[in-house]
Amino acid sequence: MVLSGVQDRIAPLQAWLFPQRVYLELQDQAVTAMALEGRQVLLLERLALPAGTCFGGKPSSPDALGDLLGDWLLERGFGGARVRAVLPVQAAALRLLQGSAELVASQPEALQWPWPAETPTDLIAQPLLVPPGRSLLAAAPTELLESWIEAFALAALPLDQLEPAVLCAGYGAQNELILLVEAEACTLLRFEAGVPQWQWSLPAPQPVELLLEALTPCLAYWPQCSSLELVVSAGADLDPQAFGALLQQDLPVRVDVRDPIASGWLLDARGDGAPLSTALLWGLAAAEVLP
């Protein structure tokens, strides 16, 4: 009993000195959590959300969602863990700028955000080394960000980062073209030197015939690109290898599937855990995990 009391008292100190880290992929239908020890996957689980919990990447009720997330991770042994999370595509936007980011950002109508121009928006500009004089501008509606901050605060989960899905999809990309697959939509991305250059919205992954019908003409814009990198969101609830093989049957380019566990970048130490795509979560975690 005495030992138990001591452990209870030092637990907050241990959490402060050795904070646990959880990576979350946020979607309207589900939240997927991954925890690592080095490159070993200790936790990889998808929590289905009640209908209407999130819409357009924004929590409808931050307090209810916070209770749900806090209880879930506490039950899994990660209560109070520090969080880095990736937002769904529709919740954030990127713009590649030439010249002063401050000057352009002050003219929201010129940036054509996918939300009304009068919407309060948080912006972060990142200067690019190559080519000089350009910068990458990331944006998200202020209310959306504040809703997630509130939800994690109520869950007692310190939030360190919210990252746009496009940037996570592009981390470590081996191809110029990336097909990012989420539950309700797909996005075709073109990267140059690790920087997103173009983005197209495509239909949902199912039925696959509609996706292929929209995707095939897009690929014709770059006949020099002989391959496509497939990045499947865990929220899409698809087997990346099986879906890649399905696309390969009809596409004129090679489909390279990003699967961190199959590729050996991550080691699954969970035993018989359910298979889930770690492609976006690895993009979020790799900067911390890799030396």
Side-chain angles (χ1 to χ4, degrees):
M1 294 295 293
V2 174
L3 179 59
S4 175
V6 171
Q7 289 174 332
D8 290 342
R9 291 199 299 273
I10 68 173
L13 178 60
Q14 289 177 322
W16 179 70
L17 291 174
F18 309 103
Q20 292 179 299
R21 165 74 75 199
V22 172
Y23 304 96
L24 297 180
E25 184 183 308
L26 311 176
Q27 296 286 339
D28 288 352
Q29 305 83 8
V31 173
T32 305
M34 181 176 75
L36 303 174
E37 185 176 281
R39 295 196 192 185
Q40 285 199 335
V41 179
L42 302 181
L43 171 72
L44 183 57
E45 188 173 327
R46 183 175 183 264
L47 174 69
L49 299 178
T53 301
C54 293
F55 182 76
K58 176 179 177 292
S60 303
S61 176
D63 52 348
L65 181 57
D67 287 342
L68 186 63
L69 292 176
D71 291 345
W72 175 46
L73 290 179
L74 182 62
E75 290 174 0
R76 300 303 182 268
F78 291 91
R82 305 198 69 87
V83 169
R84 295 182 68 196
V86 51
L87 292 165
V89 167
Q90 72 270 28
L94 301 176
R95 294 292 184 267
L96 194 59
L97 305 180
Q98 181 72 45
S100 170
E102 292 77 11
L103 177 62
V104 179
S106 66
Q107 306 171 28
E109 65 282 352
L111 294 170
Q112 298 181 337
W113 298 123
W115 45 79
E118 65 274 12
T119 303
T121 301
D122 276 24
L123 307 171
I124 296 179
Q126 177 65 48
L128 300 176
L129 298 178
V130 180
R134 305 182 81 184
S135 57
L136 188 64
L137 187 66
T142 302
E143 186 179 0
L144 181 146
L145 297 177
E146 290 178 345
S147 294
W148 280 113
I149 291 170
E150 181 182 355
F152 284 116
L154 291 168
L157 297 168
L159 177 62
D160 291 338
Q161 182 180 15
L162 286 171
E163 187 82 352
V166 170
L167 295 182
C168 290
Y171 190 90
Q174 302 298 311
N175 302 62
E176 289 186 14
L177 292 179
I178 294 176
L179 179 63
L180 173 56
V181 177
E182 295 185 314
E184 295 185 340
C186 298
T187 306
L188 181 63
L189 306 164
R190 184 168 187 258
F191 280 75
E192 290 181 7
V195 179
Q197 303 286 328
W198 299 92
Q199 178 176 330
W200 283 266
S201 296
L202 297 171
Q206 302 292 347
V208 71
E209 292 79 12
L210 293 181
L211 172 60
L212 289 167
E213 184 180 345
L215 177 58
T216 303
C218 293
L219 298 177
Y221 281 102
W222 292 286
Q224 74 276 18
C225 294
S226 60
S227 61
L228 172 75
E229 190 162 350
L230 178 64
V231 175
V232 176
S233 157
D237 202 18
L238 293 170
D239 182 321
Q241 299 292 341
F243 192 69
L246 187 62
L247 293 178
Q248 187 66 85
Q249 295 176 9
D250 292 284
L251 289 181
V253 298
R254 186 181 75 249
V255 177
D256 296 327
V257 180
R258 187 185 303 178
D259 190 336
I261 291 177
S263 302
W265 299 338
L266 292 175
L267 303 175
D268 194 348
R270 300 171 303 138
D272 296 328
L276 285 170
S277 175
T278 56
L280 278 182
L281 289 167
W282 173 240
L284 186 65
E288 290 187 323
V289 174
L290 295 178

